[in-house]
């Protein structure tokens, strides 16, 4: 013990004097003001655009309210009525669930309601948003496509009606063995939902298919869609679909006089011709629009981190809602792109 005390004395710097009383007094004077919002409400953040964008994806409070009013007065007359939260905040809770993938127990704490109430609100609003957004006709006419087509796109691919690509959403592995097999994706090496997404040359979402298990092929998804139904009048003769090399559906659209513009295959050649290389580069430079749309939509963390088993039955509707909402955002493609 004596040796330890001596060593401690040697380590002490003679020029430094520690005043414990002064230090403790200073610590008492230091205060951290942590803002408390109390019960969560969109009104609490109406002046904070960053927070609104973080939780909902909309630019500001006015942008959020514009979306809410687009849903119509039926938002106030849903089957499940929660007197503790008004419909504006029920939508706010649902968007936080989709955007930040919050657990129900955390949302219950933030909005000061029970966990069962959170679950019922989210299920009600996912169904409501799905049917309301489904009513909006997002497939534009050929005239609108031409009027809004970026100038450079118009020069290179003037007959393009839609740019298409598939996307996969991770999900929690289902308990049922058959469901596990149906949703297993050999490409992603995990269980997923798969959907086909289409956008106009100006980036507006114009097609969102139903979601299927990750084992479904691109061709199967298109075959089950209404794009091939003559009664839907989706395409006109001479239209072009721009797509990835793996979407081999040229024969499906041949009867409608629609062509599928995809990158060239080598077809036994050692390399592509210069003209083919130039064509593929041009296609890649324009097809990137759909990749950017899909990437932007996956800022909804529920699509990025995965849909849990408890919400899996709503999976296809969740995917549709997240992509449909992107049409209410600012355009990411310049007019002259």
């Amino acid at each position: 013990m004596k040796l330890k005390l001596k060593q401690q004395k040697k380590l002490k710097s003679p020029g430094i004097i520690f005043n414990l009383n002064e230090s403790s007094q200073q610590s008492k004077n230091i205060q951290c003001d942590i803002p408390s919002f109390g019960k969560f409400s969109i009104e609490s953040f109406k002046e904070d655009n960053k927070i609104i964008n973080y939780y909902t994806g909309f630019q500001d409070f006015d942008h959020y309210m514009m979306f809410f009013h687009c849903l119509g007065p039926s938002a106030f007359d849903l089957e499940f009525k929660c007197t503790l939260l008004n419909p504006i905040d029920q939508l706010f809770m649902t968007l936080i669930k989709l955007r930040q993938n919050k657990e129900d127990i955390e949302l219950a704490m933030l909005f000061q309601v029970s966990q069962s109430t959170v679950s019922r609100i989210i299920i009600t609003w996912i169904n409501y948003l799905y049917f309301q957004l489904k009513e909006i006709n997002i497939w534009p006419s050929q005239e609108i496509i031409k009027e809004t087509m970026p100038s450079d796109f118009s020069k290179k691919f003037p007959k393009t009606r839609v740019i298409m690509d598939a996307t996969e959403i991770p999900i929690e592995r289902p308990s049922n063995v058959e469901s596990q097999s149906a949703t297993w994706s050999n490409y992603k090496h995990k269980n997923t939902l798969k959907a086909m997404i289409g956008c106009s040359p100006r980036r507006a979402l114009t097609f969102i298919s139903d979601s299927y298990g990750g084992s479904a092929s691109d061709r199967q998804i298109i075959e089950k869609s209404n794009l091939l139904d003559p009664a839907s009048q989706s395409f006109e003769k001479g239209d072009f679909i721009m797509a990835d090399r793996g979407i081999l559906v040229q024969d499906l659209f041949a009867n409608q006089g629609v062509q599928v513009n995809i990158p060239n295959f080598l077809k036994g050649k050692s390399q592509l011709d210069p003209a083919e290389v130039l064509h593929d580069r041009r296609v890649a430079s324009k097809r990137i629009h759909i990749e950017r749309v899909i990437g932007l939509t996956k800022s909804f963390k529920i699509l990025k981190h995965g849909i849990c088993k408890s919400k899996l039955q709503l999976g296809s509707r969740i995917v549709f809602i997240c992509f449909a909402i992107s049409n209410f955002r600012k355009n990411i493609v310049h007019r002259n792109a």
Side-chain angles (χ1 to χ4, degrees):
M1 291 296 291
K2 290 182 179 179
L3 289 173
K4 289 183 179 179
L5 289 172
K6 287 181 180 179
Q7 289 175 353
Q8 288 177 357
K9 288 180 179 178
K10 287 182 180 180
L11 291 171
K12 185 182 286 187
S13 301
I16 300 176
I17 300 175
F18 293 94
N19 190 333
L20 296 176
N21 292 331
E22 183 180 349
S23 178
S24 61
Q25 184 61 38
Q26 288 177 350
S27 64
K28 289 180 181 179
N29 294 332
I30 297 174
Q31 296 180 356
C32 295
D33 293 327
I34 301 175
S36 175
F37 297 104
K39 183 178 178 179
F40 254 43
S41 171
I42 190 68
E43 287 283 342
S44 303
F45 307 109
K46 65 186 303 182
E47 302 299 330
D48 196 330
N49 296 340
K50 287 185 178 180
I51 292 294
I52 289 179
N53 181 259
Y54 174 78
Y55 280 127
T56 70
F58 294 108
Q59 294 175 355
D60 49 38
F61 179 76
D62 291 338
H63 191 193
Y64 172 88
M65 291 305 298
M66 179 273 292
F67 174 74
F68 176 80
H69 290 305
C70 284
L71 299 174
S74 55
F76 292 91
D77 194 29
L78 300 180
E79 185 176 345
F80 173 67
K81 300 183 185 299
C82 176
T83 57
L84 298 174
L85 293 177
N86 61 47
I88 295 174
D89 284 330
Q90 291 179 36
L91 173 62
F92 185 39
M93 176 192 287
T94 306
L95 290 178
I96 293 176
K97 178 70 174 181
L98 300 177
R99 178 82 171 167
Q100 296 301 328
N101 200 24
K102 297 288 188 183
E103 297 287 346
D104 288 1
I105 190 170
E106 184 177 357
L107 291 172
M109 179 188 68
L110 294 175
F111 286 88
Q112 297 180 13
V113 294
S114 68
Q115 192 172 338
S116 61
T117 298
V118 169
S119 180
R120 293 184 68 181
I121 287 174
I122 289 174
I123 291 172
T124 299
W125 273 84
I126 285 175
N127 287 317
Y128 174 66
L129 287 170
Y130 173 76
F131 287 110
Q132 289 299 99
L133 294 173
K134 265 284 189 182
E135 290 294 315
I136 302 174
N137 179 21
I138 61 175
W139 186 264
S141 66
Q142 196 178 64
E143 290 72 24
I144 292 176
I145 292 290
K146 290 179 179 179
E147 289 175 6
T148 59
M149 185 176 289
S151 56
D152 188 61
F153 208 119
S154 181
K155 292 177 183 177
K156 296 174 180 176
F157 304 103
K159 295 184 179 181
T160 300
R161 188 73 177 269
V162 64
I163 312 169
M164 299 187 70
D165 199 5
T167 186
E168 295 191 55
I169 312 301
I171 61 172
E172 189 176 356
R173 190 173 72 169
S175 303
N176 184 277
V177 176
E178 292 182 2
S179 298
Q180 290 177 19
S181 177
T183 58
W184 178 257
S185 169
N186 289 323
Y187 178 68
K188 293 290 185 179
H189 302 290
K190 62 178 71 173
N191 296 94
T192 66
L193 292 179
K194 187 175 184 180
M196 188 67 63
I197 308 299
C199 75
S200 71
R202 191 66 194 278
R203 193 233 65 131
L205 253 294
T206 58
F207 176 74
I208 308 165
S209 76
D210 292 333
S211 295
Y212 299 89
S215 62
S217 67
D218 299 341
R219 185 183 181 91
Q220 288 173 327
I221 295 175
I222 290 177
E223 284 178 330
K224 293 178 180 179
S225 72
N226 65 347
L227 293 177
L228 300 176
D229 184 6
S232 68
Q233 298 182 336
S234 299
F235 293 101
E236 297 178 38
K237 189 174 182 179
D239 285 342
F240 273 71
I241 299 171
M242 185 175 285
D244 190 18
R245 183 180 282 110
I247 303 179
L248 302 174
V249 292
Q250 291 90 331
D251 58 312
L252 298 179
F253 291 96
N255 292 335
Q256 300 183 48
V258 177
Q259 298 185 49
V260 182
N261 191 359
I262 62 174
N264 292 287
F265 290 91
L266 286 173
K267 296 179 181 178
K269 298 184 291 185
S270 59
Q271 62 182 20
L272 296 174
D273 298 332
E276 292 175 327
V277 172
L278 179 61
H279 169 268
D280 288 358
R281 287 178 178 175
R282 287 179 172 176
V283 170
S285 69
K286 302 306 178 186
R287 201 181 64 80
I288 197 173
H289 292 339
I290 187 63
E291 295 177 0
R292 293 174 67 192
V293 168
I294 292 173
L296 177 66
T297 304
K298 287 188 176 179
S299 61
F300 284 90
K301 292 181 181 178
I302 198 168
L303 301 185
K304 189 174 182 180
H305 297 162
I307 300 173
C308 63
K309 282 191 284 189
S310 64
K311 299 294 187 293
L312 197 51
Q313 288 186 334
L314 297 170
S316 185
R317 295 182 180 184
I318 288 172
V319 173
F320 179 87
I321 291 166
C322 293
F323 277 97
I325 286 176
S326 71
N327 272 345
F328 291 85
R329 291 173 163 180
K330 186 178 180 181
N331 202 311
I332 61 173
V333 179
H334 192 269
R335 185 71 180 89
N336 299 320

